[in-house]
Amino acid sequence: QVQLVESGGGSVQAGGSLRLSCVASGSIPRTYCMGWFRQAPGKEREGVAAISAWDRYTYYTDSVKGRFTISRSNAKNTLYLQMNSLKPEDTAMYYCASRQADCGTIGIFAERFYNSWGQGTQVTVSS
């Protein structure tokens, strides 16, 4: 399985921006779906954004639509999450993950479909 390492987290004020990166240990086929998840203290992990095979489609949870953008660079084996207009409720540990298939249309953020996970990077947004 590919190893994933996230970076780019930090502490920002509300309204600020951060760009998360997730570097893979090897090349990830463009046929793989990749996603970002987050887990806030005391809450379950939730899917935030996903990008489909060949970057055809992107998916976002409602709370981040219009503020977050997922993208990837195949040349750099890197997945990105650009986060703008950050809110205190975005505070969480952010994880990237890959699945050995396309995202599909059902269960896009279902964790059981994702095979590899990073260790996470902390994002803290203060009001």
Side-chain angles (χ1 to χ4, degrees):
Q1 289 184 344
V2 65
Q3 292 185 332
L4 304 172
V5 179
E6 303 94 334
S7 63
S11 297
V12 296
Q13 291 190 328
S17 298
L18 284 173
R19 188 194 196 198
L20 305 184
S21 298
C22 170
V23 179
S25 58
S27 62
I28 295 181
R30 297 189 68 185
T31 53
Y32 284 14
C33 170
M34 296 194 72
W36 285 98
F37 294 75
R38 67 185 180 187
Q39 186 169 23
K43 294 186 177 182
E44 293 187 353
R45 188 158 58 184
E46 65 169 345
V48 175
I51 188 165
S52 73
W54 303 102
D55 304 349
R56 280 191 298 255
Y57 305 106
T58 55
Y59 309 93
Y60 300 93
T61 191
D62 287 346
S63 62
V64 307
K65 285 180 181 177
R67 300 188 298 122
F68 290 12
T69 302
I70 187 171
S71 62
R72 60 175 151 184
S73 167
N74 293 293
K76 296 181 179 180
N77 297 324
T78 302
L79 179 72
Y80 302 100
L81 184 66
Q82 178 67 44
M83 306 186 296
N84 298 328
S85 302
L86 282 162
K87 304 176 181 180
E89 51 264 43
D90 294 319
T91 294
M93 184 72 77
Y94 283 72
Y95 303 88
C96 68
S98 69
R99 57 192 284 182
Q100 295 174 354
D102 199 355
C103 298
T105 57
I106 300 175
I108 293 171
F109 293 126
E111 294 185 26
R112 66 184 183 278
F113 294 140
Y114 289 80
N115 313 98
S116 298
W117 292 82
Q119 294 300 306
T121 186
Q122 178 67 39
V123 172
T124 303
V125 185
S126 58
S127 58

